[in-house]
Amino acid sequence: EKKKQSRAKLDFKLPTRDLKMTQVEAKYGNPVSVIPAIGKPPITEWKYAKFSVYFEYKTVIHAVVR
């Protein structure tokens, strides 16, 4: 028997894959903090109060609730 995971309904939408940094900034404002790019390809993390966004180069690859 599989257990259903409960998911709290978000009061906002997370940035979606393939958005550009400029689009995320225009919609959500400046991040609270930025973890500079590391690795190859370079991955950057922008931290907001309720979520984090991960970019490969300047494109969103993932966003997660904090």
Side-chain angles (χ1 to χ4, degrees):
E1 171 182 331
K2 287 186 177 181
K3 275 190 171 182
K4 284 188 177 182
Q5 289 184 339
S6 63
R7 286 189 158 190
K9 187 158 172 82
L10 299 178
D11 58 353
F12 62 92
K13 288 196 173 213
L14 290 170
T16 55
R17 188 177 178 93
D18 294 328
L19 286 179
K20 301 298 180 196
M21 284 180 169
T22 53
Q23 294 171 297
V24 173
E25 190 172 28
K27 183 169 183 175
Y28 298 95
N30 292 323
V32 174
S33 65
V34 173
I35 307 301
I38 56 171
K40 290 186 189 234
I43 304 297
T44 303
E45 180 183 359
W46 284 9
K47 292 185 177 190
Y48 287 88
K50 295 183 178 181
F51 61 94
S52 290
V53 184
Y54 297 89
F55 298 90
E56 182 177 299
Y57 295 98
K58 295 187 181 296
T59 304
V60 173
I61 57 170
H62 197 56
V64 295
V65 176
R66 293 172 38 111

